[in-house]
Amino acid sequence: MRKNYVLKGNICYCIESSRIEISDGAYLVCEDGKSAGIFPSLPEQYQDFPITDFGECLIIPGLVDLHTHAPQYAFRGLGMDMPLMEWLETHTFPEESKYGDMEYAKKAYQIFADTMKKGATTRACIFATIHSEGTDCLMSLMEETGLHTMVGRVNMDRNAPVNLCEPSPEQALADTEEWIIKSRTQYRNTEPILTPRFIPTCSDMLMEGLGMLQQKYHMPVQSHLSENDSEIAFVQELCPWSRCYGDAYDRFGLFGGADCRTVMAHCVHSGDDEIALMKKNGVFIAHCAQSNTNLMSGVAPVRRYLEEGIPMGLGSDVAGGCTTDMFRAMVDSIHASNLRYRLFDDSLKPLTPAEAFYLATKGGGAFFGQVGSFEPGYEMDALVLDDRNLPHPQELTTLERLERMIYLADERNIVHKYVAGRKLF
Amino acid sequence: MRKNYVLKGNICYCIESSRIEISDGAYLVCEDGKSAGIFPSLPEQYQDFPITDFGECLIIPGLVDLHTHAPQYAFRGLGMDMPLMEWLETHTFPEESKYGDMEYAKKAYQIFADTMKKGATTRACIFATIHSEGTDCLMSLMEETGLHTMVGRVNMDRNAPVNLCEPSPEQALADTEEWIIKSRTQYRNTEPILTPRFIPTCSDMLMEGLGMLQQKYHMPVQSHLSENDSEIAFVQELCPWSRCYGDAYDRFGLFGGADCRTVMAHCVHSGDDEIALMKKNGVFIAHCAQSNTNLMSGVAPVRRYLEEGIPMGLGSDVAGGCTTDMFRAMVDSIHASNLRYRLFDDSLKPLTPAEAFYLATKGGGAFFGQVGSFEPGYEMDALVLDDRNLPHPQELTTLERLERMIYLADERNIVHKYVAGRKLF
């Protein structure tokens, strides 16, 4: 597969969160699957690389979805009328319990994978269910898309319907280890990630064992944190020894730190202690604005997280969010920050479009390494956007066209997609 | 043109705001352009009407946009990073001043009209600019779409750039009367509506004259009300004699009441006096959730308006809103109400999907008469929706499919569109 080539077009990306870099009609060089840089004219040493000229199209980094649930895609856009704990019981758990049926799982996951393939997302952290076979099926299907993803077989052994509880911590850990061993070498683009659902559904014994598996296999970790007030109160009840919700993960060795790359979804109601711990441990935040709006959880203090330098990206959180579309996730994050600023706390300024774009690219991309930018050395994840379906009577700059895309693009605008140097379409 | 026919499909509409009526595989009879009712089997007297069977498609009332600005469509999705008064000066006024140039106006309005034609909207209240010729151009183009719309030549004679101020109240009124006389008989589907931009840009003398034109020609009225705190403070300064912003319109006879059908956009910060006055006068509210989010205006107390029985619909408010899509307007209204409830005032419960659907159909439709429902006597505005681009592994009820459409539909799902009995496509 060819990994040395040049893309020409109007190139937009972030180096830092405060601004978008624009290079009109420039050459983006891909060498061995990575960016060798952006050049106004093609340097001598790349003259032999094949060039594709995308004319007036925009070229942007692929978008990164730091948090989504594949088995919930089936009920996207449904049942968005209740808070978290009630919503889990009414909608989510009944649906997820179906994924022990492989026929159903395959049908449902195929729909999810097809959507992810044609959308703007190039990297994603994905929850499956407690079912090993179903999770394998999802991993195979994601592998076929060409996206680079981390997929988690979910762990839960309490406070859930019996058919969604693993039979015992011991069995859960044995099954999880078997799944890790099998899946970590099986795929090229698809990696297993440890996925305790959240503290309410995971016993201390299960969490302890997962902490040991994390150390043994150097696994990345994903879970949920401080999404909803009653969830947080429940965690305090379940783990009276913890200083905060995040501390409960930390005591089990599942909250960042050296050799434990961790992403936590939500962090809507994290207090000072928890924020300090996330910062100290380098825990990533997956900010899921639409989900937090749909389930009336609130709005995370994203401006504070940016200012504190906590690593952060955006999550679609399907089906708390109704769509996998990361353009929409950018706008939702701006909208939620606007209303948080206006209705709740005007000390935290709203997100700018540049900041939302940063979070959806380089911010979340960092969870995957050097991903989400076109700076030299970054993996070549790129989208070529054609915006001619949105005509306009006036001249627009490239930056204005990108801003319009943030607000108005959907998968129809994505004409080509590259992941880690490989062209998917 | 044929106005007697039958549409067969899964029919969804509102009688009241609290629930959605569903008739699966039913017959919706159109007689002389109006609904004759919905029937599980076709009654004898309609046996001669031609039937179109849309199979598993959904049939819903056309959507109503109670507030949008055609000349702002050019910069949709741009410059959403400042509050109202600054945004008007920076983005809106410079763009609107271009519409004295007929070449530009035609090009820009054609783009707007094309979008409106293929979208979900069947009725709309539209602002043009102060330019009579440009407004005529917009009215002609809207007439060609087949939509039923009210279009307003905007009045403003103060507190705006000189090229957007009419030269004097006298000239403004003479030009407006000329435009009314010309346009009120010229079109079949397109009606002029009196459009003082808002109190800050309209002198007392201009408002007095518009009040007289309203009486003389029985004109409907559209304007803006209580969108933003600094706007409201400015109105109090300009009209120190007024009890509230709405009272300022009322003193000029431009705020509802007998023979003065009025729609006011926003009403985010209306106080008790203003709400009582709207209720007494039957003033319609155009709730523009996305615009009020983008411009950080706040969130209108929609639950209170519903409970008080104030007539209300939704507005896209392009380009305070980034899209004319009224499906999106429904979701935005739910989202804004969720965050208002969660962050600001939990005494007002969030909107349900049924309520948002009601507002986008029958709620706003009432401004146009018997519009926005399929109850007998209602004008036949209908959309046929095909949702097969959103596959799902499980069975879904028609109500669930409609709920998904509210969250996920765009113009690709609209396969046929009828306005007042006429099939547009």
Side-chain angles (χ1 to χ4, degrees):
Chain A
M1 191 174 317
R2 192 185 291 283
K3 293 278 186 92
N4 289 340
Y5 51 79
V6 179
L7 308 181
K8 183 164 188 256
N10 298 314
I11 298 165
C12 315
Y13 66 104
C14 282
I15 296 173
E16 49 193 52
S17 65
S18 57
R19 55 171 285 178
I20 295 171
E21 313 294 323
I22 303 284
S23 297
D24 283 333
Y27 297 84
L28 170 58
V29 175
C30 178
E31 189 169 22
D32 197 25
K34 292 180 177 166
S35 171
I38 291 165
F39 306 93
S41 59
L42 194 62
E44 186 61 31
Q45 72 262 41
Y46 306 121
Q47 295 287 343
D48 293 341
F49 288 19
I51 300 176
T52 311
D53 187 343
F54 293 113
E56 286 305 313
C57 285
L58 305 180
I59 304 175
I60 69 171
L63 305 186
V64 179
D65 188 346
L66 276 191
H67 184 70
T68 198
H69 293 261
Q72 298 176 21
Y73 192 64
F75 67 93
R76 65 199 179 281
L78 291 174
M80 308 278 224
D81 51 355
M82 46 187 72
L84 176 67
M85 304 305 269
E86 193 184 346
W87 175 82
L88 285 172
E89 280 176 35
T90 310
H91 296 290
T92 307
F93 290 158
E95 179 64 23
E96 289 196 10
S97 67
K98 299 178 189 170
Y99 289 74
D101 170 356
M102 282 308 297
E103 195 183 335
Y104 188 83
K106 196 165 177 187
K107 189 173 161 190
Y109 283 147
Q110 186 69 61
I111 294 170
F112 174 78
D114 289 346
T115 306
M116 294 295 275
K117 177 160 185 178
K118 69 184 178 189
T121 302
T122 52
R123 311 262 170 168
C125 294
I126 304 171
F127 280 55
T129 63
I130 62 163
H131 310 95
S132 291
E133 200 183 350
T135 305
D136 288 342
C137 167
L138 175 60
M139 294 182 87
S140 299
L141 291 169
M142 288 313 300
E143 180 77 3
E144 283 171 29
T145 65
L147 270 65
H148 280 221
T149 62
M150 299 189 197
V151 175
R153 178 195 178 286
V154 173
N155 288 111
M156 45 203 293
D157 70 344
R158 66 175 176 185
N159 297 317
V162 65
N163 59 357
L164 268 191
C165 275
E166 296 175 279
S168 69
E170 294 81 1
Q171 189 65 53
L173 293 165
D175 291 347
T176 302
E177 185 161 15
E178 187 186 356
W179 166 74
I180 292 168
I181 292 165
K182 181 176 171 205
S183 62
R184 71 186 179 138
T185 55
Q186 197 174 352
Y187 306 105
R188 199 182 54 174
N189 317 320
T190 314
E191 189 183 339
I193 178 168
L194 272 185
T195 306
R197 182 177 209 110
F198 62 163
I199 296 280
T201 61
C202 298
S203 68
D204 290 3
M205 194 181 293
L206 176 57
M207 292 296 280
E208 269 170 35
L210 291 174
M212 285 187 280
L213 288 178
Q214 193 284 320
Q215 285 200 308
K216 184 169 175 188
Y217 296 101
H218 315 288
M219 296 281 288
V221 176
Q222 62 181 354
S223 194
H224 299 93
L225 181 64
S226 297
E227 176 175 2
N228 166 293
D229 286 329
S230 62
E231 170 211 18
I232 294 167
F234 193 27
V235 169
Q236 189 54 46
E237 202 178 294
L238 292 165
C239 305
W241 43 264
S242 64
R243 283 170 43 237
C244 59
Y245 192 165
D247 182 51
Y249 289 109
D250 196 42
R251 300 281 178 103
F252 297 115
L254 296 167
F255 202 64
D259 197 36
C260 180
R261 194 167 25 147
T262 300
V263 59
M264 288 283 158
H266 309 307
C267 306
V268 173
H269 303 285
S270 297
D272 290 341
D273 281 358
E274 190 160 281
I275 292 171
L277 192 58
M278 288 192 282
K279 189 172 175 175
K280 173 169 160 271
N281 289 7
V283 170
F284 277 73
I285 294 170
H287 173 51
C288 305
Q290 193 193 108
S291 169
N292 298 333
T293 298
N294 283 324
L295 303 182
M296 290 163 278
S297 302
V299 184
V302 181
R303 167 70 52 209
R304 177 170 177 188
Y305 297 150
L306 276 174
E307 283 172 357
E308 299 234 13
I310 297 176
M312 179 166 50
L314 303 181
S316 66
D317 194 23
V318 162
C322 70
T323 173
T324 56
D325 182 350
M326 295 306 294
F327 288 109
R328 179 66 172 270
M330 288 190 235
V331 179
D332 290 331
S333 71
I334 296 169
H335 282 170
S337 74
N338 283 356
L339 290 184
R340 190 184 196 283
Y341 167 80
R342 184 66 186 80
L343 300 177
F344 183 67
D345 174 10
D346 64 8
S347 76
L348 296 184
K349 297 288 179 222
L351 288 181
T352 64
E355 287 165 336
F357 184 67
Y358 171 85
L359 290 174
T361 55
K362 192 173 176 179
F367 194 70
F368 290 83
Q370 285 205 300
V371 169
S373 183
F374 293 140
E375 295 159 79
Y378 272 69
E379 295 191 57
M380 182 58 69
D381 286 18
L383 305 175
V384 180
L385 303 180
D386 184 342
D387 60 356
R388 282 175 296 182
N389 68 329
L390 302 172
H392 49 94
Q394 80 281 45
E395 295 286 317
L396 292 178
T397 65
T398 298
L399 184 59
E400 288 171 326
R401 289 172 59 205
L402 176 63
E403 195 176 333
R404 271 181 10 139
M405 284 285 95
I406 291 172
Y407 279 91
L408 298 168
D410 61 37
E411 74 275 11
R412 287 172 286 185
N413 298 98
I414 305 164
V415 290
H416 301 291
K417 178 166 166 177
Y418 298 78
V419 182
R422 180 179 167 206
K423 185 176 183 181
L424 303 195
F425 60 80
Chain B
M1 189 174 317
R2 192 184 292 283
K3 294 276 185 93
N4 290 338
Y5 51 80
V6 179
L7 309 181
K8 184 164 188 253
N10 298 315
I11 299 166
C12 315
Y13 65 105
C14 281
I15 297 174
E16 49 195 50
S17 65
S18 57
R19 55 171 286 181
I20 296 171
E21 312 295 323
I22 303 283
S23 296
D24 283 334
Y27 298 84
L28 170 59
V29 175
C30 178
E31 188 169 23
D32 197 24
K34 292 179 176 164
S35 171
I38 291 165
F39 307 94
S41 59
L42 194 62
E44 187 59 32
Q45 71 262 41
Y46 307 121
Q47 295 287 345
D48 293 341
F49 288 18
I51 301 176
T52 311
D53 187 343
F54 294 113
E56 287 304 313
C57 285
L58 305 179
I59 304 176
I60 69 169
L63 305 186
V64 179
D65 188 347
L66 277 192
H67 184 69
T68 198
H69 293 261
Q72 297 176 22
Y73 192 64
F75 67 92
R76 65 198 180 281
L78 291 174
M80 307 281 223
D81 50 355
M82 44 187 73
L84 176 67
M85 304 305 268
E86 194 184 345
W87 175 82
L88 285 171
E89 279 176 35
T90 310
H91 296 289
T92 308
F93 289 157
E95 179 64 24
E96 289 196 11
S97 68
K98 299 178 188 170
Y99 288 75
D101 170 355
M102 283 308 297
E103 194 183 335
Y104 188 84
K106 196 166 177 185
K107 188 172 162 189
Y109 282 147
Q110 185 70 61
I111 294 169
F112 175 77
D114 289 347
T115 306
M116 293 296 275
K117 177 162 185 177
K118 69 184 177 190
T121 302
T122 53
R123 311 262 171 167
C125 295
I126 304 171
F127 280 54
T129 63
I130 63 163
H131 310 95
S132 291
E133 201 184 349
T135 306
D136 288 340
C137 167
L138 176 60
M139 293 182 87
S140 299
L141 291 169
M142 288 313 300
E143 180 77 4
E144 284 171 29
T145 65
L147 270 65
H148 281 220
T149 62
M150 299 190 199
V151 176
R153 177 194 179 285
V154 174
N155 288 112
M156 45 203 294
D157 69 344
R158 65 176 177 185
N159 296 318
V162 64
N163 58 358
L164 268 191
C165 274
E166 296 175 278
S168 69
E170 295 80 1
Q171 188 66 54
L173 293 165
D175 291 348
T176 302
E177 185 161 15
E178 187 186 356
W179 167 73
I180 293 168
I181 291 166
K182 182 178 171 204
S183 63
R184 72 183 178 141
T185 55
Q186 198 175 350
Y187 307 104
R188 199 182 55 175
N189 316 321
T190 314
E191 189 184 339
I193 180 169
L194 271 185
T195 306
R197 185 179 204 108
F198 64 161
I199 297 280
T201 61
C202 299
S203 68
D204 290 3
M205 194 182 291
L206 176 56
M207 292 297 280
E208 270 170 35
L210 291 173
M212 286 189 278
L213 289 177
Q214 193 285 319
Q215 284 202 307
K216 186 169 174 186
Y217 296 101
H218 315 288
M219 296 281 290
V221 176
Q222 63 181 353
S223 193
H224 299 92
L225 181 65
S226 296
E227 177 175 1
N228 165 294
D229 286 329
S230 62
E231 170 210 20
I232 294 167
F234 193 27
V235 169
Q236 189 55 46
E237 202 178 295
L238 293 165
C239 305
W241 43 263
S242 64
R243 283 170 43 235
C244 61
Y245 191 166
D247 182 52
Y249 289 109
D250 197 41
R251 300 282 177 104
F252 298 115
L254 296 166
F255 201 64
D259 196 37
C260 181
R261 195 169 23 150
T262 300
V263 58
M264 287 283 159
H266 308 307
C267 306
V268 173
H269 303 286
S270 297
D272 290 340
D273 282 357
E274 191 160 281
I275 292 172
L277 193 58
M278 288 192 283
K279 188 171 175 176
K280 172 168 161 269
N281 289 6
V283 170
F284 276 73
I285 293 170
H287 174 51
C288 305
Q290 193 194 107
S291 169
N292 298 332
T293 299
N294 283 323
L295 303 182
M296 291 163 275
S297 303
V299 183
V302 180
R303 169 68 53 207
R304 175 167 179 190
Y305 296 152
L306 276 173
E307 283 172 356
E308 299 234 13
I310 297 176
M312 180 166 49
L314 304 181
S316 66
D317 195 24
V318 162
C322 70
T323 173
T324 56
D325 182 349
M326 294 306 295
F327 288 110
R328 179 68 171 269
M330 288 189 237
V331 179
D332 290 330
S333 72
I334 296 168
H335 281 169
S337 74
N338 283 356
L339 289 185
R340 191 184 195 283
Y341 166 80
R342 184 66 187 81
L343 300 178
F344 183 67
D345 173 11
D346 65 7
S347 75
L348 296 185
K349 297 286 178 222
L351 289 180
T352 63
E355 288 166 335
F357 185 66
Y358 170 86
L359 291 174
T361 55
K362 192 174 176 180
F367 194 70
F368 290 84
Q370 285 205 300
V371 169
S373 183
F374 293 139
E375 295 159 80
Y378 272 70
E379 296 192 55
M380 182 58 70
D381 286 19
L383 305 174
V384 180
L385 303 180
D386 184 342
D387 61 354
R388 282 174 297 181
N389 68 328
L390 301 172
H392 49 96
Q394 81 280 49
E395 295 286 317
L396 292 178
T397 66
T398 298
L399 184 60
E400 287 171 326
R401 290 172 58 206
L402 176 64
E403 195 177 332
R404 270 178 14 136
M405 284 284 95
I406 290 171
Y407 280 92
L408 298 168
D410 60 36
E411 74 274 12
R412 286 172 287 185
N413 298 99
I414 305 164
V415 290
H416 301 291
K417 178 166 166 176
Y418 299 78
V419 182
R422 181 178 165 205
K423 186 175 181 181
L424 304 195
F425 59 81

